[in-house]
Amino acid sequence: SRDSVWKMPSRKFADGEVVMGRWPGSVLYYEVQVTSYDDVAHLYTVKYKDGTELALKESDIRSQSSFKHRKSQSSSSSPSRRSSSRSRSRSRSPGRPAKGRRRSASQSREHKDDKKKTTQETSLALPKPSENNTKRYNGEPESTEKNATSCIILEQKLKPDLEIKRVLEQYSLRSRKDEKKKEEIYSEKKTFVAVKPIEKVPTKTKELEFGGRIGTFMLILLLPATVFYLLLTCKQDDPSLLNFPPLPALESLWDGRVFGVFLLWFFLQAAFYFLPIGKVVEGLPLSSGRKLQYRINGFYAFILTAAIIGVLLYFQFELHYLYDHLMQFAVSAAAFSLALSVYLYVRSLKAPEEELAPGGNSGYFIYDFFTGHELNPRIGSFDLKYFCELRPGLIGWVVINLAMLLAEMKIYNLSVPSLSMILVNGFQLLYVVDALWNEEAVLTTMDITHDGFGFMLAFGDLVWVPFVYSLQAFYLVGHPTTITWPVAAGITVLNCIGYYIFRSANSQKNNFRRNPADPKLANLKFIPTATGKGLLVTGWWGFVRHPNYLGDIIMALAWSLPCGFNHILPYFYVIYFICLLVHREARDEHHCKQKYGLAWERYCQRVPYRIFPYIY
Ligand code: NDP
């Protein structure tokens, strides 16, 4: 009637309403709460009981009353029941539009299928211990597996209970080899994920990390102090940690020329960033659904830098200058990173709410200044955080290492560098080249997707990485250490093991995230989650929960061992790194718990160790 047309709302369900939402990739419905509605995409954001949020079409949502009513019926007029049984396994995604062919299927056939489906759905909803219960949270892997199992049951036309149980067990963690059905499930889930980003930016950061306001304030003072303490201590003849170095005169710390060289370095790298070489890729979707573009040319920047350094050395340029003025360079980099952080904070005050970092929006100046208020600050297409993350600091690190190697040769009048120096330089060069070669992988890291750009990352990228990570090479210049060939071989093997674990774990996860159907990963098993992404439970990610950190720590040890056992100073890196990664792991666990809910808990049960097998 005209009246009803006039009154018809543009959306059927209101914010806050508790409804039944269809599980993506299945025929099952769970209790969810509507949190918002997107008028343009016509999608509801719904929240599950554990806090997981998904975007659903209206046709995948039903009122609770209709659901309860339907459960006791044998037929249904639900919009979710329009596809034919043959095509069901391909049409479970709420994001997948029904094909015309399916829509034109005869009414009677639909009805028959509907009946069959309802019977199955109801039987799945029976409160058996291993079966689905609509009152329960749907992100739980058990339910997830059951959801997926329901696909199998549909295909196999209601097998006897025992058979169903077997199928359930098989599905829960089965091999991906020859599993065509699973590929279908995945492609559906991918469609679903592409509809709308799953995570929403909280308006305010409620849980403060790093010790809150006091902690971050202390860190702003402590981090620079640590760098200067380490550099000063390392320069001493006896670099014992308790042998406190005399403080240098303040004016000796600043050198205008050094600052000029630092600026030249920074802007040279920035110029390389703009070179139109290398592919342009999209980052992960932001909370607004937008994806930023990134030019992948860090490796080219490295090659160009190497060529320039080669030319400078050819023309007898003294890289020794870096060794002589290392402290002034560190001061210049620290001053620059502080100025950059102030600029970043000031500009973040004008940034729209949706561009703020989920972890750096507490409203407390000191906390947001430290953790980074704005997520992806850009000047035009120049992404400040992405640029600083790998280029000036990481490439700077290997240049400092090279300067140390040349300084050692010059001071001790060597025709070839010491074996220890070669190992330290070689191992760390491999690490940096690997990071630049796999630059794209940085786009999915916490630094890019979660943390804002503030003092923590600016100081970390521009000061901490180049000046603290090069400490072993710096130490070796002042404290020559002789190692034998067999020892060198042993350390090299250790570094290779670490690198192998680090690289293969990172690649396994990156490839799996990029293309879960990759045939190279066919042997891997995973737990499906509510977000459509799986959690690997075999391969490296089934060994410990952060195998890449394990590999990284093994490498860190291999970088310190060439410095011998006279002092603990060269081991600062490995000790600090263990602390950093243990803390980072805890942060990531927290985020994953929020993202995946009980599916993550299930993963933790299955893979109990976080980083170190049988230890932690
Ligand atoms: P990771 O690469 O370890 O990524 C963690 C993410 O991986 C999680 O948030 C989750 O994200 C996903 N994930 C977790 N478990 C699984 C699983 N079982 N299956 C599939 N995906 C899973 O994070 P980082 O950014 O911390 O580290 C990247 C690399 O950088 C590491 O190798 C690390 O060692 C190195 N690093 C080096 C530092 C240095 O100073 N040298 C400092 C920090 C890191 P989702 O599910 O959303 O994909």
Side-chain angles (χ1 to χ4, degrees):
S1 74
R2 221 178 64 199
D3 207 19
S4 66
V5 170
W6 174 248
K7 282 182 187 160
M8 188 172 312
S10 60
R11 53 185 284 195
K12 210 166 152 189
F13 305 102
D15 284 357
E17 199 173 331
V18 177
V19 290
M20 303 305 288
R22 180 157 38 168
W23 176 267
S26 83
V27 294
L28 302 174
Y29 286 76
Y30 298 87
E31 197 178 287
V32 294
Q33 187 171 30
V34 175
T35 55
S36 64
Y37 180 69
D38 185 336
D39 285 315
V40 184
H42 300 292
L43 290 171
Y44 288 86
T45 301
V46 297
K47 197 168 188 174
Y48 291 82
K49 283 182 174 171
D50 76 327
T52 308
E53 287 182 291
L54 297 176
L56 295 185
K57 289 198 297 183
E58 200 166 79
S59 56
D60 292 311
I61 302 178
R62 302 205 321 250
S63 68
Q64 275 190 310
S65 54
S66 81
F67 187 88
K68 277 166 192 158
H69 173 68
R70 266 198 61 257
K71 266 201 333 181
S72 61
Q73 308 264 319
S74 62
S75 66
S76 159
S77 58
S78 158
S80 64
R81 300 183 169 219
R82 279 182 197 140
S83 57
S84 73
S85 68
R86 209 178 63 79
S87 61
R88 245 173 224 146
S89 67
R90 300 195 137 270
S91 61
R92 273 175 219 121
S93 164
R96 182 187 283 263
K99 295 223 170 85
R101 182 173 59 82
R102 289 174 201 153
R103 261 187 247 117
S104 65
S106 82
Q107 204 56 36
S108 62
R109 166 88 180 270
E110 268 187 29
H111 188 68
K112 210 171 122 197
D113 289 344
D114 281 353
K115 259 187 164 175
K116 201 190 296 171
K117 203 167 177 179
T118 308
T119 319
Q120 289 153 2
E121 199 174 309
T122 314
S123 79
L124 280 167
L126 287 172
K128 283 190 194 170
S130 64
E131 299 210 342
N132 182 48
N133 179 341
T134 53
K135 292 281 176 211
R136 282 175 62 189
Y137 152 66
N138 67 12
E140 186 180 354
E142 272 163 26
S143 343
T144 315
E145 289 158 17
K146 272 170 254 139
N147 285 335
T149 310
S150 71
C151 312
I152 298 168
I153 296 167
L154 286 170
E155 299 293 325
Q156 301 187 353
K157 298 203 178 77
L158 282 173
K159 299 201 169 213
D161 264 6
L162 249 170
E163 181 68 353
I164 291 173
K165 206 172 160 215
R166 193 183 62 77
V167 174
L168 281 166
E169 278 164 9
Q170 263 185 3
Y171 188 79
S172 65
L173 292 172
R174 66 186 172 172
S175 164
R176 302 186 327 119
K177 223 176 221 168
D178 310 323
E179 287 291 3
K180 222 168 148 230
K181 290 289 165 305
K182 184 164 281 175
E183 276 180 29
E184 289 169 0
I185 292 162
Y186 251 101
S187 64
E188 287 172 359
K189 283 174 177 171
K190 271 190 281 175
T191 316
F192 182 83
V193 169
V195 174
K196 202 181 170 192
I198 290 150
E199 282 177 280
K200 286 195 78 189
V201 172
T203 42
K204 279 270 179 258
T205 309
K206 289 188 192 96
E207 289 171 44
L208 303 190
E209 300 174 291
F210 307 106
R213 281 179 288 171
I214 296 173
T216 48
F217 176 72
M218 297 302 287
L219 282 171
I220 290 170
L221 300 177
L222 208 66
L223 290 175
T226 308
V227 175
F228 300 125
Y229 169 72
L230 290 173
L231 292 183
L232 287 173
T233 308
C234 202
K235 196 111 203 206
Q236 299 199 107
D237 286 342
D238 173 20
S240 305
L241 290 186
L242 296 176
N243 184 14
F244 207 79
L247 287 178
L250 260 187
E251 59 274 15
S252 72
L253 292 176
W254 184 257
D255 184 329
R257 191 160 157 230
V258 168
F259 187 62
V261 175
F262 176 82
L263 288 183
L264 191 69
W265 168 257
F266 187 87
F267 289 108
L268 177 75
Q269 292 302 324
F272 290 160
Y273 178 96
F274 284 107
L275 288 177
I277 44 172
K279 59 181 175 178
V280 175
V281 302
E282 283 186 334
L284 294 182
L286 303 172
S287 64
S288 59
R290 201 159 64 94
K291 287 183 185 171
L292 295 175
Q293 301 216 312
Y294 297 89
R295 163 97 48 201
I296 305 293
N297 64 7
F299 188 72
Y300 295 108
F302 174 78
I303 299 287
L304 284 171
T305 310
I308 290 173
I309 301 244
V311 170
L312 287 177
L313 290 177
Y314 181 78
F315 288 106
Q316 310 290 316
F317 179 83
E318 288 281 355
L319 217 53
H320 199 265
Y321 180 77
L322 248 176
Y323 170 71
D324 289 340
H325 297 86
L326 196 65
M327 186 54 118
Q328 283 101 328
F329 270 106
V331 172
S332 294
F336 184 83
S337 67
L338 182 65
L340 178 63
S341 315
V342 172
Y343 162 74
L344 290 168
Y345 185 77
V346 170
R347 63 166 276 157
S348 74
L349 297 176
K350 283 184 274 169
E353 186 78 10
E354 72 268 15
E355 287 177 16
L356 298 180
N361 189 18
S362 68
Y364 300 121
F365 159 71
I366 205 73
Y367 186 85
D368 295 346
F369 173 80
F370 178 81
T371 50
H373 199 31
E374 193 177 347
L375 186 60
N376 304 108
R378 286 188 161 207
I379 303 171
S381 62
F382 186 64
D383 191 299
L384 287 155
K385 184 170 68 170
Y386 169 68
F387 166 71
C388 288
E389 192 72 7
L390 293 186
R391 290 138 191 259
L394 222 57
I395 302 176
W397 170 19
V398 290
V399 174
I400 293 175
N401 272 353
L402 178 65
M404 298 303 150
L405 181 144
L406 295 171
E408 185 203 51
M409 287 174 72
K410 190 173 168 179
I411 293 169
Y412 301 102
N413 208 11
L414 303 173
S415 53
V416 283
S418 68
L419 198 49
S420 300
M421 186 63 100
I422 292 176
L423 291 191
V424 167
N425 260 262
F427 295 162
Q428 298 185 352
L429 179 68
L430 170 72
Y431 190 74
V432 171
V433 168
D434 177 274
L436 293 166
W437 183 260
N438 296 290
E439 190 181 18
E440 204 175 329
V442 86
L443 298 178
T444 55
T445 61
M446 232 198 287
D447 290 2
I448 298 291
T449 59
H450 181 267
D451 293 337
F453 196 26
F455 183 82
M456 177 176 75
L457 284 182
F459 187 85
D461 293 342
L462 301 178
V463 188
W464 191 269
V465 168
F467 296 96
V468 173
Y469 288 19
S470 58
L471 206 65
Q472 287 104 347
F474 188 38
Y475 172 87
L476 286 174
V477 181
H479 313 89
T481 307
T482 311
I483 51 167
T484 59
W485 280 99
V487 170
I491 298 173
T492 306
V493 169
L494 186 70
N495 190 68
C496 290
I497 293 172
Y499 178 73
Y500 175 70
I501 298 175
F502 165 85
R503 178 49 31 228
S504 44
N506 277 324
S507 299
Q508 231 166 46
K509 189 197 63 170
N510 287 342
N511 294 340
F512 181 66
R513 279 284 171 263
R514 241 163 244 294
N515 178 18
D518 188 341
K520 275 189 282 175
L521 306 171
N523 295 323
L524 298 182
K525 297 175 186 176
F526 65 92
I527 297 176
T529 75
T531 66
K533 291 200 243 174
L535 290 171
L536 289 166
V537 286
T538 59
W540 283 114
W541 297 82
F543 182 52
V544 287
R545 298 211 288 276
H546 266 91
N548 48 355
Y549 290 2
L550 174 68
D552 225 338
I553 290 169
I554 293 174
M555 278 192 286
L557 180 64
W559 301 350
S560 300
L561 287 172
C563 300
F565 298 105
N566 288 341
H567 292 284
I568 197 159
L569 192 70
Y571 291 84
F572 172 82
Y573 175 71
V574 60
I575 296 166
Y576 138 80
F577 202 50
I578 290 173
C579 299
L580 174 94
L581 292 184
V582 164
H583 178 245
R584 197 175 167 91
E585 203 276 340
R587 290 180 74 208
D588 193 46
E589 291 260 331
H590 185 67
H591 296 149
C592 287
K593 178 90 206 301
Q594 284 182 331
K595 245 186 298 187
Y596 301 122
L598 295 174
W600 182 258
E601 275 180 14
R602 176 83 182 275
Y603 173 53
C604 295
Q605 274 166 13
R606 170 113 184 159
V607 185
Y609 295 104
R610 292 163 175 244
I611 301 178
F612 304 103
Y614 308 109
I615 301 172
Y616 174 75

